[in-house]
Amino acid sequence: MVGQYGPPNPPYGIYNPYGQAAMMPPPEAFQPEHFPPEAFQPRLHQSQTVSSDNLISYQSEYDSQPLPPVPPRPAPRLNRRRQTQNGEHVKHRRTRSGCFTCRQRRVKCDETRPMCDRCRKGKRDCIWPETSSSKSDRGSSKSKRSTEDGSDSTQSDSESELAPIADDDELDAEEESEIPSAVPETKAKFAEDQASTMLEAPPSATKPPRPAQGRSGTKQTSRDDITQHPKWAELPSFIKFYLKYHRNHLSYQHYAWKYDGGNFLKTTFLEIALNYEPLLYAVVAYAAYHYALGREEGKVKDFLDTYNRSVSALRRSLEKGDKHNISTLLTILQLATIEEFLGDWVNLLSHQRAAYQIITDLFTPQTITQSETHRKIIGWYMRFDLFAANLGGGATAMGREWFKACADFYKRQVRDRPGDKGAIMEDFFGTARLLAVDTSQLFTGKAAGQVSDDEFKQGIPEIASRMQAFRTAIEGAFTDPSHYVQSFSNAPPFDPSVDIVDYHDRDFCYAGDLHAMNSVKIDHWAIQMLFYRHLAQIPALIHLVPPPAELQELAYKKCKMLEAVRYSDNAPPGAVIGLQASLGIAALALNQDKKHVDWFRHRFALIERSGYIYPKTLRVRMKELWGVDVSYWWLDNNEGFPSILRQLREFIDFRAGEVYSIQAKDTDVRDMAGIFSKMSMVNGPETQDEGHEDGDGMWLDRGEMYESSPDEHIFG
């Protein structure tokens, strides 16, 4: 094709684990404005890609294990001595006036400006400190000389082009701040894809991290402020801006997590990112994504630029053969989250498979729970593993022993920390995951001939007993009325003509530090529906399935919780995104009359405007179910369809045009074979009754739906 565009990196964050892909010209709106114009000269070009072999061939020291340090490069050369021809050693003279790049790498700088010899040979960005009164006379004279030759003046001019950034205590008033350009067009800094990392970790970064990574409670206070990190002052302004936005405005709900005890995403996670360039750019990209969505005239350029840089930096790291560790794993999980929110579930699975290989190479079910960071990683990964299993209709990649090990750890934690609310909620989530996995494996194993008739007969009452025990534990955990939302001051009154649930009840929605209990309740309801759905597929066991009205009541509870959290004054930011999984099964289990369809259409639109974009395949399937055209947007006449979402949709469609092979099970995910395979379209909208009543065969015929997130039924 003539006139193809593209830098020598995979376009805009996409990499293809199945080989090289032919590139397509990006729409004009998606040409990154921060890249130098020459990077986009028309040329025929095949993109570099990251193979799945590269992604999954990881071997590394554990970040949180007390293992001997394994430097990613030869031993530090700080104390090496030059050797003269006569064999005498000459000790290096220490200097504090070298470039930042050499000082960060703990190597001697020859102080040649504007680019020192080491940075020139290593093709690194040569960054020099600005002149200040605290510098030595020697440093001042060198700065003056470099100003005369134009090197420092270029940096100063470029920096002056950046818009002012709010101080840490002013960022809450973000609407008064302007975002600095990610990369000034007049400056090549951070613009060359082949440039080496500016934030390359020093040799000491390979040492085991401090025990504080497993911290909780008041021990976090000394390291909570990311701006106090030693590398903070060296960061470009736009990275500082988005990191502060991530810290101040994104919660664990923006990651679709259920709970983040220890505040990992705002502390340890960001600290690790500052020491690993691919993860740093991935975190910045995610913050830029949500920042743009929160503004009427939001732009996607910063998100696209930094996301592409993250993948490019990750690819370079893999190609260089660097040692891989927790930082690499977290980068892949962060990129997987971005793919999920973009609605690219097939590309998400490529990340999930790579993460699986890293985890199983580095850990065992016993060692994965030995630090807080590891436990966060395995919980994050489990969302995607369960997502793949549910969408494709298969089993999880990880065996039951991993889920069992996590559940056992959280039970021990409850015993060791009696009365600790966080420990109790983590125990509930671990129990829910294991119970849901056991439920699924019992029925899928029976269908595959891996579970005998006797085992199956014993398994059914055992699962039922465990579900009842789980329900009893949840209902008896936190019963004080002060734990619940007692009023909804910002909520509209209940309107029976348009609302399908009244969520104003007291003692229903948890508030404050118990907000995560709302997800626990939704987990329990979903596991019940999963169990009954499997029973309904076996004629001999249909008598164990409750009446349709009782099953519908579970679905209404999920809808009610979504609305209660939406209008709660105490919910964390992004809470609606965190509970969007409630929509999927409820949309299938409830009536298909106009009132219900309209209600769900508005809620799906709300979720997408909040940042969780659904794949086109889902919209097409819902069009078939509802008899209403929602294949492009959920509401008529593109009502409530913001410009920023349209830009993202166009970008997603462009990426979908890339030609690459897809594995068979990924095709199932793309087509959602595990979701709609048993759906019956017999009960169309015209056959439904108003209200909560429906035909007796409604729920049984339609089957189950796992469309809305990785944890719709086996909650990660």
Side-chain angles (χ1 to χ4, degrees), residues 124-176:
R124 298 182 176 88
D125 288 314
C126 193
I127 311 301
W128 289 92
E130 296 180 357
T131 303
S132 66
S133 59
S134 63
K135 293 184 179 179
S136 65
D137 294 339
R138 179 183 58 193
S140 300
S141 63
K142 289 183 179 292
S143 297
K144 180 177 180 181
R145 182 172 67 251
S146 63
T147 302
E148 292 173 354
D149 65 27
S151 61
D152 270 11
S153 61
T154 301
Q155 179 177 354
S156 179
D157 292 341
S158 299
E159 290 297 324
S160 65
E161 295 174 2
L162 300 178
I165 299 301
D167 293 334
D168 292 342
D169 57 352
E170 297 173 348
L171 188 62
D172 288 334
E174 66 192 26
E175 64 277 3
E176 299 178 5

Side-chain angles (χ1 to χ4, degrees), residues 439 442-443 459-461 463-464 467 526-536 544-545 699 704:
T439 300
L442 178 64
F443 288 95
I460 294 295
I463 293 292
M467 284 198 302
I527 294 171
Q528 285 184 284
M529 299 184 77
L530 173 66
F531 180 64
Y532 295 140
R533 176 256 178 145
H534 284 301
L535 289 178
L544 300 177
V545 179
W699 193 84
E704 185 89 288

Side-chain angles (χ1 to χ4, degrees), residues 456-471:
F456 186 73
K457 291 178 181 178
Q458 295 174 2
I460 294 295
E462 178 187 350
I463 293 292
S465 175
R466 288 169 59 189
M467 284 198 302
Q468 180 59 44
F470 187 36
R471 175 180 179 178

Side-chain angles (χ1 to χ4, degrees), residues 1-5 23-25 42-45:
M1 182 168 59
V2 180
Q4 290 182 343
Y5 289 78
M23 291 182 57
M24 299 180 63
R43 60 183 181 274
L44 191 62
H45 171 82

Side-chain angles (χ1 to χ4, degrees), residues 300-314:
V300 299
K301 61 180 183 299
D302 282 353
F303 160 64
L304 295 179
D305 290 351
T306 48
Y307 185 33
N308 190 52
R309 290 187 182 286
S310 173
V311 177
S312 298
L314 178 61

